[in-house]
Amino acid sequence: MIPIDLSGKNGIVFGVANDRSIAWGITQALSQAGARIALTYQGDRLKERVEALAATMEGAITLPCDATDDEQIAQVFQSLKEEFGEISFLVHSIAFANRDDLSGRYADTSREGYRIALEVSAYSLLPLLRHAEPLMANGGSVVALTFDASQRVYPGYNVMGTAKAALEHGVRQLAYEFGEKNIRVNAISAGPLETLAARGISGFRDMRHTAAEKAPLKRNITVDEVAQTALFLCSGLSSGITGAIIPVDAGYHIMAV
Ligand code: NAD
């Protein structure tokens, strides 16, 4: 087995809310490989919890960042420049839709509900990458988190499916635009995992049950499996991969009946 060594590398992870967050699993894998990491938290409500998690990791820093606030985004990267100088990876693990828009009819999504879901879950990747670019002068790896509802209908996932389709298109477009700078942009399409964000989706339990029943591996995936794939994508082992949407879903996406 080739060990992944990220010692001397720095990066930033957006999207830790608690110890069940996919972003936290990814952070732990990156930290265990030797990387130094900045974690962001959305608002004061999550500050203490994220700071307590960061305190368990050598050299980690925490910064406030609401992805709808351009000033906060600029401040995050100013602080990163001062603390780290250079970064080699960025993990985008954030998504949001109003709870009302994650049940009932998709056709009833409000204009505002549609806007906020797309802004937080898809558009946000663009300003983050724009700000990261000067700190990735020696190349870098960007990893976003997506879901199969970008391609197929999962009743209840509604407008978040639209947001994931936009995010995946963004991954390809950005991979093209940043390729010359050796900045790679990929996404992991994870199977359903019990997290805070998942709790808001109506019928989520059924989704997990169906996935475990139908997937070739006959089970649900774990956060660790997503984290290991993110670690691979943030490392030189994936140097030839960009613009890819990599399913980590026990094979569920290949199945029809
Ligand atoms: P989570 O609730 O732990 O993480 C979601 C994060 O988004 C939170 O940290 C939250 O603070 C952040 N966020 C929401 N609005 C924000 C804003 N305006 N600014 C900054 N941050 C904001 O849940 P999770 O399941 O770990 O979700 C992480 C990512 O993984 C999301 O993109 C989600 O769609 C994706 N994903 C999740 C699953 C699943 O089943 N849990 C499956 C596939 C993909």
Side-chain angles (χ1 to χ4, degrees), residues 143 187-188 224-234 238 246-248:
V143 179
I188 296 170
D224 280 351
E225 289 173 319
V226 178
Q228 283 163 31
T229 305
L231 176 60
F232 162 72
L233 287 173
C234 289
S238 60
I246 300 181
V248 178

Side-chain angles (χ1 to χ4, degrees), residues 204-253:
F204 180 76
R205 281 253 160 92
D206 291 343
M207 272 165 58
R208 264 180 70 84
H209 184 74
T210 307
E213 206 172 59
K214 274 179 70 176
L217 296 183
K218 296 284 169 234
R219 62 172 175 84
N220 285 121
I221 57 144
T222 65
V223 170
D224 280 351
E225 289 173 319
V226 178
Q228 283 163 31
T229 305
L231 176 60
F232 162 72
L233 287 173
C234 289
S235 79
L237 289 183
S238 60
S239 59
I241 302 176
T242 195
I245 311 295
I246 300 181
V248 178
D249 65 350
Y252 181 71
H253 69 285

Side-chain angles (χ1 to χ4, degrees), residues 15-17 21-22 42 66-67 93-95 145-146 164 190 192-193 195-197:
V16 175
S21 294
I22 295 173
Q42 179 207 4
D66 187 312
S93 187
I94 64 186
L145 271 298
T146 187
K164 291 306 190 191
L193 288 160
T195 62
L196 197 62

Side-chain angles (χ1 to χ4, degrees), residues 14-18 20-24 40-43 45-46 65-69 92-96 116 120-121 124 144-148 157 160 164 167 188-198 201 204 207-208 221:
F14 293 85
V16 175
N18 58 34
R20 304 187 77 139
S21 294
I22 295 173
W24 177 240
T40 65
Y41 55 87
Q42 179 207 4
R45 202 172 41 90
L46 296 176
C65 186
D66 187 312
T68 62
D69 184 334
H92 176 287
S93 187
I94 64 186
F96 177 80
I116 191 74
V120 174
S121 318
S124 60
L145 271 298
T146 187
F147 184 60
D148 191 41
Y157 209 80
M160 190 54 82
K164 291 306 190 191
L167 178 70
I188 296 170
S189 187
L193 288 160
E194 302 260 17
T195 62
L196 197 62
I201 301 162
F204 180 76
M207 272 165 58
R208 264 180 70 84
I221 57 144

Side-chain angles (χ1 to χ4, degrees), residues 85-162:
E86 189 173 276
I87 60 169
S88 65
F89 58 84
L90 182 156
V91 176
H92 176 287
S93 187
I94 64 186
F96 177 80
N98 289 325
R99 194 172 259 265
D100 289 353
D101 293 327
L102 295 174
S103 61
R105 292 201 319 172
Y106 173 64
D108 295 329
T109 310
S110 67
R111 199 177 287 272
E112 174 56 16
Y114 194 99
R115 187 197 63 74
I116 191 74
L118 273 282
E119 179 181 352
V120 174
S121 318
Y123 174 75
S124 60
L125 185 61
L126 281 58
L128 297 188
L129 192 34
R130 269 199 313 267
H131 281 88
E133 183 182 2
L135 303 187
M136 290 184 165
N138 292 310
S141 172
V142 175
V143 179
L145 271 298
T146 187
F147 184 60
D148 191 41
S150 61
Q151 315 287 326
R152 302 193 286 171
V153 174
Y154 287 71
Y157 209 80
N158 295 3
V159 69
M160 190 54 82
T162 313

